[in-house]
Amino acid sequence: MKLVTSELIQKIDREAINNRGIPSEQLMENAGRGIAEQMADYVDPLPDKSRVAIFCGKGNNGGDGYVVGRYLHQWGHDVTIYFMGPIDKLSNDARLNYDRALAEKIAMVEAIKMVEISSPNDLPETIECDIIVDAIFGTGFSGAPRGLSADIIEHINSQDAVIVSVDMPSGLNANNGTHEGNVVAADFTFTLAQPKYGLYLSPGRELAGTVFVVPIGIPDDDVAKFEIKDELITPDSVSTMLPFRKPDGHKGDFGKLMVLAGSTGMTGAAALAGESALRSGCGLCKVACPKTVQPVLATKMTEVMTYLLPDVAKKGALALRGLGEIRKLLDQHDAVAIGPGIGTHHETGELIRRLISTLDKPAVVDADGLNALSGHTDILKDKKAPLVLTPHPGEFRRLWDGEYPEEFHDRTEVARQFASTYGVILVLKGSPTIVADPNGRCFVNQSGNSGMATGGSGDVLTGIIGSFLAQGMAALDAAIAGVFIHGLAGDIAANDLTERAMIASDMTDALPEVFELLECAEYKMAIEVRRGVRGKYCSSCKVWKPLTEFHKDSSHRATQGGRHCRCKPCYKAGRKRLGY
C-alpha cells in the first residue's frame, strides 16, 4: 500500500476529480460511509446502539464527519454533531453535507442533534457519549491549533470515551507525525484512500491508535500515475509472501539454513538466530561455530544442529583457516545467515569478507558480520548472490560514508541510495524499520514497539529472514516479511509480558501465534495487538477474543493451555478430545 504525504494525496484527489470526473461530493460520501461501516466492524461498543458525539471543523474533514453522522444515525445510533460555526464559513462540500445531516430524519428516530460551538463556553463539561468522532482537521493541516479548535481538542482528550479520528488526529502533521500544539489522542484513526507517513512515525503512531485505511473510490491507476516509491508493509501483503508448504513435504523440502555465528561470551546470539529460524518454518538449521563454544551451544539448543569450525587459539573466535570448510558446508545448504555473536577479531573479519565476496547462496548479514564490512563495502558490488543487510543506526554509520540523518524522509533517501549503490536489500532498523531495494523502492514497517530494544532482538530477525531465504523466498520478500513478523512477534510478547519486561527469546516464543494470525486471515486484528488490545486468536472459534475469555491456567487440558477459549463449544470439544 503506497505511503503518501499531504501534498501528494491532494494531487491524487485532484487527479480523480478533474481528470477522472469523479465529483468531490461523491468522494466525501464514500469516505464518510466507509468510515461508518468500518467503525461498525471494529470500534467497541458501536455494534450496539451507541451515543456518538461528532466534532466537525469548517473544512472537508468536517464534511466527512457530517456524512459519518448521517450513516450512524440511519443505523439507529444516537448522534450529536458539534460544529464550528458560522455556517457560511464551511467549505462547499462540508456545507452540502451539513444541510443533509440537518435534514436527516427517519421513521421512529429523532433527527440528528446539531450544536454550534462558537466559544469554549458552548462545550458541555461532560460529553454524554460512548464514542467521540474527531473531524476537525485533516491531512492538509500544519502548524498548531489555535483558539477555539485548540480548546475543543483539549476537551475531547479529557473525556471518558472512545476517540475516533477521521483521516488524521486533529493537530497531527501528516508528513512527519509531529505536532506543535494540542493534538487529539485517538483510539482509532480511519485514514482515507492511502496511508500517510505521519501515522507511522512517532509520536504520530502512538497518537493515532489503531489505523485503518478506508477506500474512497479513487481508481488504482490514478494513484499509479504518481510513481510513488514508498510503501507500507501490511499484514495482507505479508501473508501472500509466505512460502507454500507441500502437504507431503519432508524436512529437506522446507529449506536448509546455515548460521555462521557465535564466539566466546556470545553464544546466546547464535542460539536465538538458530531457534527463530526453525520457528519460521525452515526444515533444518545448522549453526556453524568455533569449536571451543560448540559444547555451550549444543547444551542451549535441542532442535538446531551444530558444526565445529576452527577457531583462533584461545580466543573462541572463527579462524580464517576455516574458510574452505565453510564453503564446503554451504554446498549442503540453501542459504546462510552471517554475523550473530561472531565478535570482532581481525581474523574473523577477514574470513567474513572473503566469504561474502564469493558467496553463491542467498545470505543475510547482521551484527559483527556488518562490522567486518566497515571500510570494505566495495566487495558488495561484486557479490554473486542476493544479499540482505540488517544494520541498526550505529552499524549503518560504519557502513555509510555520509552523515546519518535523523529526519525520517532523509533516512529513506539514504537507505534508497545505499541499496541502489551496492545492489543489496537493506533493512535499516529503527522506529519504523525501512526496507530498501536496488530499484529505489522503500517499504516502511508498522509493527514493533520499544520493548524490542533489547539484546538479541536483531539475532531473532536474522534467523527469521535467513529461514525465509532458505525456504526459497526472494530476498526482498524475505526482508519485508521478516521485519513485519519480527515486529508483530514483539507486539504479542509486549502484550503478554509488557514492553519493559520482555526479552528477545519471548519474540521467538511468539512466532507460532504470529503465523497462526497470518495464516488464519485475522490480519486486521493482528494489528490491534500493537495498539494494546489484550486478546488472542481462538483456534476453534476462528475469531479474535479478549484475554478474559481464555483460561488463565496455561496447563489447562480442555482448552489446550489457552489455545482455545472458555466458551461452551470449545470446552466441550476439549473434553471430547481428552476422552471425557
Side-chain angles (χ1 to χ4, degrees):
M1 189 172 286
K2 304 294 186 181
L3 271 171
V4 297
T5 61
S6 60
E7 296 79 12
L8 188 53
I9 194 62
Q10 289 170 16
K11 290 179 181 178
I12 293 171
D13 280 349
R14 286 195 294 271
E15 175 70 23
I17 294 168
N18 298 333
N19 296 336
R20 180 71 64 168
I22 302 174
S24 58
E25 59 266 27
Q26 184 60 53
L27 294 178
M28 185 173 287
E29 184 75 11
N30 295 346
R33 184 182 65 248
I35 291 171
E37 288 172 347
Q38 292 208 19
M39 284 178 65
D41 287 339
Y42 298 113
V43 178
D44 182 52
L46 200 60
D48 301 316
K49 182 177 180 180
S50 301
R51 298 167 300 169
V52 184
I54 303 177
F55 285 83
C56 294
K58 299 176 183 179
N60 287 343
N61 194 252
D64 296 333
Y66 291 121
V67 179
V68 172
R70 179 156 45 85
Y71 277 97
L72 293 181
H73 177 253
Q74 290 174 2
W75 299 339
H77 298 287
D78 182 4
V79 176
T80 301
I81 294 179
Y82 297 88
F83 64 94
M84 298 171 64
I87 301 305
D88 56 5
K89 297 294 184 181
L90 300 185
S91 70
N92 291 337
D93 289 341
R95 178 58 189 266
L96 172 66
N97 282 292
Y98 166 86
D99 291 337
R100 288 176 176 174
L102 191 64
E104 179 75 13
K105 185 167 184 178
I106 56 179
M108 307 299 293
V109 179
E110 294 181 0
I112 296 174
K113 294 181 280 293
M114 307 286 282
V115 180
E116 181 175 351
I117 304 295
S118 56
S119 78
N121 295 330
D122 296 328
L123 289 168
E125 183 174 344
T126 301
I127 303 171
E128 299 295 335
C129 65
D130 304 302
I131 297 164
I132 294 175
V133 176
D134 152 40
I136 302 171
F137 297 124
T139 302
F141 177 82
S142 62
R146 303 185 187 282
L148 180 60
S149 59
D151 293 330
I152 292 176
I153 289 172
E154 184 176 2
H155 195 62
I156 288 174
N157 288 336
S158 70
Q159 301 301 306
D160 184 19
V162 174
I163 299 176
V164 174
S165 284
V166 172
D167 207 12
M168 297 289 297
S170 292
L172 188 68
N173 187 299
N175 293 342
N176 56 31
T178 62
H179 59 95
E180 298 179 18
N182 288 353
V183 60
V184 169
D187 296 295
F188 297 87
T189 296
F190 293 91
T191 198
L192 303 175
Q194 299 293 141
K196 287 77 180 179
Y197 285 101
L199 297 171
Y200 303 97
L201 307 177
S202 293
R205 64 183 293 181
E206 290 78 33
L207 292 165
T210 304
V211 178
F212 295 95
V213 180
V214 179
I216 64 171
I218 296 178
D220 291 341
D221 53 352
D222 283 353
V223 179
K225 291 177 182 177
F226 293 89
E227 297 183 355
I228 304 167
K229 289 192 172 182
D230 291 354
E231 297 188 31
L232 181 69
I233 302 173
T234 65
D236 291 20
S237 62
V238 170
S239 69
T240 62
M241 295 175 183
L242 296 178
F244 173 72
R245 294 185 69 86
K246 294 167 55 179
D248 59 345
H250 57 79
K251 59 189 175 185
D253 292 329
F254 300 124
K256 302 174 185 178
L257 177 68
M258 172 180 161
V259 181
L260 191 61
S263 63
T264 298
M266 292 191 284
T267 54
L272 286 167
E275 290 173 344
S276 63
L278 286 182
R279 283 290 189 195
S280 299
C282 71
L284 290 167
C285 179
K286 183 177 292 182
V287 172
C289 60
K291 63 180 181 181
T292 53
V293 302
Q294 188 273 341
V296 178
L297 275 171
T299 303
K300 281 178 174 287
M301 305 180 299
T302 302
E303 296 87 355
V304 180
M305 298 176 289
T306 57
Y307 187 91
L308 286 71
L309 289 172
D311 59 357
V312 180
K314 299 182 180 179
K315 297 292 184 180
L318 292 167
L320 181 58
R321 67 182 184 277
L323 181 58
E325 201 169 343
I326 292 171
R327 287 173 174 161
K328 290 180 182 178
L329 187 61
L330 264 174
D331 290 338
Q332 305 168 25
H333 294 80
D334 301 299
V336 59
I338 301 171
I342 61 173
T344 56
H345 193 278
H346 66 88
E347 226 181 286
T348 305
E350 182 62 25
L351 167 70
I352 297 304
R353 288 188 288 273
R354 293 191 190 185
L355 177 63
I356 289 176
S357 65
T358 59
L359 271 177
D360 59 358
K361 297 286 179 71
V364 54
V365 184
D366 184 37
D368 288 327
L370 295 169
N371 292 329
L373 297 174
S374 179
H376 303 274
T377 49
D378 282 347
I379 68 173
L380 297 173
K381 297 178 180 179
D382 300 322
K383 67 185 184 320
K384 298 178 177 61
L387 200 59
V388 180
L389 308 184
T390 62
H392 58 57
E395 291 162 344
F396 186 74
R397 287 186 182 96
R398 292 189 280 275
L399 294 174
W400 180 245
D401 294 332
E403 184 178 347
Y404 181 80
E406 295 301 325
E407 210 280 321
F408 172 77
H409 293 287
D410 295 334
R411 265 187 285 149
T412 60
E413 292 309 312
V414 167
R416 218 187 306 272
Q417 186 177 345
F418 185 94
S420 299
T421 300
Y422 297 106
V424 299
I425 304 299
L426 180 71
V427 175
L428 184 53
K429 298 172 187 172
S431 179
T433 291
I434 303 163
V435 180
D437 78 352
N439 297 319
R441 293 180 297 172
C442 278
F443 302 82
V444 179
N445 187 40
Q446 60 175 307
S447 61
N449 60 80
S450 68
M452 298 172 68
T454 183
S457 178
D459 304 312
V460 174
L461 175 61
T462 301
I464 296 171
I465 295 175
S467 178
F468 289 156
L469 291 173
Q471 293 174 67
M473 287 179 67
L476 178 60
D477 287 353
I480 291 172
V483 298
F484 181 83
I485 287 168
H486 179 242
L488 188 52
D491 294 332
I492 290 172
N495 187 50
D496 292 341
L497 303 166
T498 75
E499 293 180 16
R500 189 182 304 276
M502 63 180 282
I503 57 177
S505 58
D506 296 326
M507 291 176 246
T508 303
D509 294 341
L511 286 172
E513 187 169 347
V514 171
F515 288 111
E516 185 174 32
L517 286 166
L518 291 173
E519 293 172 353
C520 291
E522 292 293 314
Y523 310 138
K524 290 180 179 177
M525 291 304 184
I527 296 299
E528 293 190 17
V529 177
R530 174 167 67 80
R531 301 303 187 185
V533 178
R534 296 184 60 79
K536 292 177 69 174
Y537 180 82
C538 175
S539 298
S540 292
C541 297
K542 304 298 183 187
V543 294
W544 186 270
K545 292 190 174 184
L547 282 182
T548 52
E549 296 191 26
F550 289 82
H551 205 284
K552 293 182 180 180
D553 182 1
S554 61
S555 64
H556 194 268
R557 296 175 67 200
T559 59
Q560 289 194 355
R563 186 178 175 86
H564 307 284
C565 73
R566 293 186 294 183
C567 71
K568 286 185 178 179
C570 282
Y571 187 74
K572 288 181 178 179
R575 291 179 62 83
K576 186 176 181 180
R577 281 193 303 271
L578 296 171
Y580 296 155

